[in-house]
Amino acid sequence: MVNEGEVSSELECKVQIAGDHGSKEVQDRSERGLAKRFWLGFAGLLSGFMSKLSQGWGKVCGVGSEDPRRVFHCLKVGLALTVVSLFYYMRPLYESIGSNAMWAVLTVVVVFEYTVGATLAKGLNRVAGTFLAGALAIGVHWVAAHCGETFEAAILRTSVFLLASAATFSRFIPIVKQRFDYGAMIFVLTFSLVSVSGYRVEELFELAHHRFSTVVLGTAICMLICIFIRPVWAGQDLHFLIVCNLEKISDSLDECVLKYFEDEKTLIDGDEERCKRILKYKSALNTKGTEDSLANFARWEPSHGQFRFQHPWNQYLKIGALTRNCAYCIEALNSCINSEIHAHERAKKHLSNVCIRLSSHSSAVLRELTVMIKTMKKSSTIEFSIGEMGSAVQEIQHAMKCLPIPPPTTQLLPLLVKSQTEITELVPTTQAANTPLMEVLNLVTITSLLVEISARIEDIFGAVNELANMTGFTVSIIDEKKKQQNKPVASDDQELQDKNEMKILQQA
């Protein structure tokens, strides 16, 4: 017979072995699950990082493709720093300048800007501020050294206080702030550093000489590279910015009026491209700061292309301001067109043709002005276009006099008396009278805005004509050929008379 103790011990061993094996399987499964989750998390993190990296690279490529001049500007800055660093790493050049070559590197980093005008403005301001501050600081040190030790510290501190305060106050003057703000800041910095230094006058003169020469060296390298290697002119950017703004408001005006008078459904279900063309005027509303800075930098630039040194850049600012005023009217027009109150169909049909005609003539004038500024050539048909726009204004004013306004109708509900405690009330249904009137008022507002836009376009024409007289716009070749074709042919007797007059003049 089998012992019961032995059987129970065997069963216990089998159960323990089975339990250990099951726990190992559970542990292995949990470890494989953790490893799988870790791998999936790492793979997700890696894929997210790669997707963000690709998106960032796409944005970087978009910035470069939008304006390739930015890429060349970065290369020019690298070239300027490489050239300046030669004075630090090459021993013969290093011995001539010394450790002050770092000031040339700092000058390149600070002075080199995107446009030629900005680079010239900062470079010349830095050179002038450094020279004036260094010369004054050396003179003050010389005077203080000859006044004795008792007055030396007082003279230096008083000079720092007076000159730093005066230079800082000059930065609040509009013309100084606009053109020489950076130079005034460099003057304060240089004078303060030199004045508080403890060098003697001889050592101070040598130090100032090295600092000034390195600043001039760095500025000269920046100017040469910025001007002669794919230059970016601030004047040209301002010129094309004004042209682009005029094109945008002409496109917006055309599309805005056509969309309103063509079909009511287009007000709600318009395509995206058309809406983008209508909203082009918005970019012209926020260019004042850019125009001011470009005009300020363009004054520093030398003659280039069709722009001479004393080009009337302020006239471009005047044209830009008038363009923004026109864009504000277009924004008001767009707000009225997108209003929830729809115009009365009969009145809208009555004014549709004259409004579309006025908007088309106004857009045509804007496009001709754009071509005039872009090519810097006068147009012989611009006055004819202005006349057509004026006749369209007269037509729309005449149509407004004959505008069919729905008569006001007020209907009174009967008196309702329900009981002795209730108050009798008189309820006029004014909705039938007010709603058509509001529809007509909305349409009248739109037409008045169109007339105002045409008046502001005439102001733009006057400013462009003034610019043409200042800069001497030439007559285009097409206009000259038209004049020659329209010129009357002289008869034989007239030609003979002209020849005789020329002979008499030669003999005299």
Side-chain angles (χ1 to χ4, degrees):
M1 293 182 66
V2 181
N3 192 2
E4 293 181 357
E6 292 178 358
V7 173
S8 62
S9 62
E10 289 179 1
L11 290 174
E12 288 177 358
C13 290
K14 289 181 180 180
V15 171
Q16 186 177 3
I17 291 172
D20 294 339
H21 183 69
S23 62
K24 287 181 180 180
E25 287 183 354
V26 171
Q27 186 177 1
D28 292 339
R29 288 178 183 175
S30 63
E31 289 178 355
R32 286 197 297 271
L34 289 174
K36 187 177 181 180
R37 285 196 297 270
F38 176 76
W39 171 250
L40 291 176
F42 177 74
L45 183 63
L46 184 62
S47 63
F49 175 75
M50 293 301 294
S51 64
K52 289 183 179 179
L53 186 63
S54 63
Q55 291 176 2
W57 177 251
K59 291 180 180 179
V60 170
C61 294
V63 171
S65 61
E66 182 181 354
D67 191 358
R69 298 180 301 175
R70 297 171 181 171
V71 180
F72 288 101
H73 171 70
C74 300
L75 298 177
K76 288 191 294 183
V77 173
L79 177 62
L81 289 173
T82 303
V83 173
V84 169
S85 64
L86 295 177
F87 290 88
Y88 191 79
Y89 290 109
M90 295 181 68
R91 185 173 295 276
L93 299 176
Y94 180 80
E95 291 176 356
S96 61
I97 296 179
S99 60
N100 292 315
M102 293 303 297
W103 284 93
V105 176
L106 180 63
T107 301
V108 171
V109 173
V110 173
V111 167
F112 209 116
E113 293 289 339
Y114 182 64
T115 60
V116 176
T119 303
L120 291 175
K122 293 193 74 172
L124 295 177
N125 271 280
R126 187 176 181 84
V127 170
T130 303
F131 176 75
L132 291 176
L136 284 174
I138 292 173
V140 170
H141 261 274
W142 184 83
V143 172
H146 286 76
C147 290
E149 295 182 357
T150 56
F151 295 100
E152 183 177 1
I155 291 174
L156 291 176
R157 293 171 184 173
T158 305
S159 64
V160 170
F161 173 76
L162 293 177
L163 290 176
S165 301
T168 304
F169 179 78
S170 67
R171 297 178 66 185
F172 293 103
I173 302 173
I175 189 168
V176 176
K177 184 175 180 62
Q178 185 179 12
R179 300 188 184 183
F180 310 108
D181 184 72
Y182 184 70
M185 183 182 67
I186 293 297
F187 175 84
V188 173
L189 176 64
T190 305
F191 184 81
S192 301
L193 291 176
V194 175
S195 297
V196 301
S197 60
Y199 296 99
R200 294 181 180 178
V201 177
E202 296 80 6
E203 298 174 354
L204 191 63
F205 180 79
E206 184 180 358
L207 176 64
H209 171 69
H210 282 293
R211 294 284 176 86
F212 180 72
S213 61
T214 52
V215 168
V216 172
L217 178 64
T219 304
I221 290 174
C222 290
M223 290 180 180
L224 292 174
I225 293 177
C226 189
I227 292 175
F228 293 104
I229 301 179
R230 293 186 68 91
V232 179
W233 303 100
Q236 286 185 354
D237 286 353
L238 176 61
H239 181 82
F240 289 116
L241 178 62
I242 298 297
V243 169
C244 185
N245 287 340
L246 286 173
E247 289 179 349
K248 288 177 180 178
I249 65 172
S250 64
D251 293 340
S252 297
L253 179 59
D254 252 348
E255 291 293 335
C256 194
V257 176
L258 286 175
K259 181 181 177 181
Y260 179 69
F261 285 102
E262 276 183 358
D263 190 4
E264 281 288 338
K265 293 182 180 180
T266 57
L267 292 173
I268 302 173
D269 301 327
D271 54 343
E272 294 182 358
E273 294 182 0
R274 195 168 195 179
C275 292
K276 289 180 180 179
R277 288 197 298 269
I278 291 174
L279 297 177
K280 279 184 178 181
Y281 69 90
K282 287 186 176 293
S283 61
L285 298 174
N286 304 317
T287 58
K288 185 181 185 301
T290 305
E291 291 173 5
D292 291 339
S293 62
L294 289 176
N296 183 29
F297 295 144
R299 296 187 185 98
W300 295 88
E301 293 177 347
S303 299
H304 57 280
Q306 297 176 323
F307 310 104
R308 61 178 186 269
F309 181 68
Q310 294 294 333
H311 198 73
W313 300 113
N314 287 330
Q315 192 64 24
Y316 283 89
L317 297 180
K318 183 178 179 181
I319 296 172
L322 293 173
T323 303
R324 283 191 297 275
N325 291 337
C326 189
Y328 287 132
C329 283
I330 295 176
E331 185 176 25
L333 178 66
N334 188 33
S335 299
C336 291
I337 286 174
N338 293 325
S339 176
E340 295 181 357
I341 301 174
H342 301 292
H344 194 268
E345 289 297 329
R346 185 180 175 187
K348 183 178 177 181
K349 187 177 181 181
H350 177 74
L351 294 175
S352 62
N353 293 330
V354 289
C355 289
I356 291 174
R357 190 179 300 114
L358 178 58
S359 67
S360 62
H361 288 313
S362 301
S363 301
V365 172
L366 286 173
R367 291 191 182 96
E368 285 197 50
L369 293 175
T370 301
V371 174
M372 279 183 62
I373 300 175
K374 188 175 184 178
T375 60
M376 299 186 73
K377 293 181 180 179
K378 292 183 178 180
S379 175
S380 61
T381 60
I382 185 66
E383 294 182 356
F384 177 74
S385 300
I386 291 289
E388 287 186 340
M389 186 177 67
S391 62
V393 170
Q394 293 178 357
E395 289 179 2
I396 203 170
Q397 289 176 350
H398 178 70
M400 288 294 294
K401 295 178 181 178
C402 305
L403 185 65
I405 301 176
T409 59
T410 57
Q411 299 175 358
L412 301 180
L413 293 177
L415 296 176
L416 300 176
V417 181
K418 294 183 180 179
S419 62
Q420 295 180 356
T421 58
E422 291 181 343
I423 302 173
T424 60
E425 54 185 357
L426 184 66
V427 183
T429 59
T430 58
Q431 185 177 2
N434 291 336
T435 303
L437 184 60
M438 291 300 295
E439 293 173 358
V440 173
L441 287 177
N442 186 31
L443 189 60
V444 169
T445 305
I446 291 172
T447 53
S448 62
L449 284 172
L450 287 175
V451 174
E452 179 65 23
I453 289 171
S454 65
R456 298 195 180 189
I457 290 173
E458 289 184 1
D459 295 337
I460 297 174
F461 165 70
V464 173
N465 196 20
E466 188 177 355
L467 176 65
N469 295 329
M470 287 180 178
T471 58
F473 280 10
T474 58
V475 182
S476 62
I477 299 175
I478 299 174
D479 295 336
E480 289 181 354
K481 289 182 179 179
K482 288 181 180 179
K483 288 182 179 179
Q484 291 177 0
Q485 290 176 0
N486 297 328
K487 186 177 180 180
V489 181
S491 60
D492 295 338
D493 296 337
Q494 186 68 28
E495 290 180 357
L496 183 61
Q497 186 178 356
D498 293 339
K499 289 180 181 179
N500 293 331
E501 289 178 358
M502 290 295 296
K503 287 180 181 179
I504 294 170
L505 291 173
Q506 289 176 0
Q507 290 175 2

